[in-house]
Amino acid sequence: MNRDMTEIIRNQKPICLRPTDKARTACETMHQKRIGAILVTSDTGALIGILTGRDVVRCIAEGLDLAQVRLRDVMTPDPATMPPGSKAIEALRLMHDGGFRHIPIVE
């Protein structure tokens, strides 16, 4: 639990899509890559949102057409983030307190 997040995520490459991409594309990517979230980034690469499995369930429950709706309309905007030097226990605490399962590590 005292490990740095940099050590834990060193071999992981986040999957990023643009806010204009369709939610279905994100769902297909999540399924193919066996991941639970997609980072949504601007043209400059800045993190602007995250789409998680919970967001997808909400979309389906609301009857949205995932083939038509864009990520910018269904993503969680401005997600909480942590810097790379953070400790794993800090990430767990933040996720527990915030009630979410994914925390982007951003420099």
Side-chain angles (χ1 to χ4, degrees), residues 43-83:
D43 291 337
T44 63
L47 179 67
I48 59 173
I50 189 170
L51 184 81
T52 69
R54 287 180 177 178
D55 294 317
V56 173
V57 168
R58 179 180 40 79
C59 292
I60 293 168
E62 292 175 2
L64 300 177
D65 182 354
L66 298 178
Q68 297 300 319
V69 70
R70 298 193 185 279
L71 289 179
R72 69 174 169 235
D73 298 321
V74 295
M75 69 182 187
T76 299
D78 303 315
T81 63
M82 296 191 84

Side-chain angles (χ1 to χ4, degrees), residues 36-37 50 52-55 57 91-92 94-104:
I50 189 170
T52 69
R54 287 180 177 178
D55 294 317
V57 168
L92 288 171
L94 179 62
M95 289 187 293
H96 176 268
D97 292 348
F100 44 85
R101 301 177 193 166
H102 304 277
I103 182 82

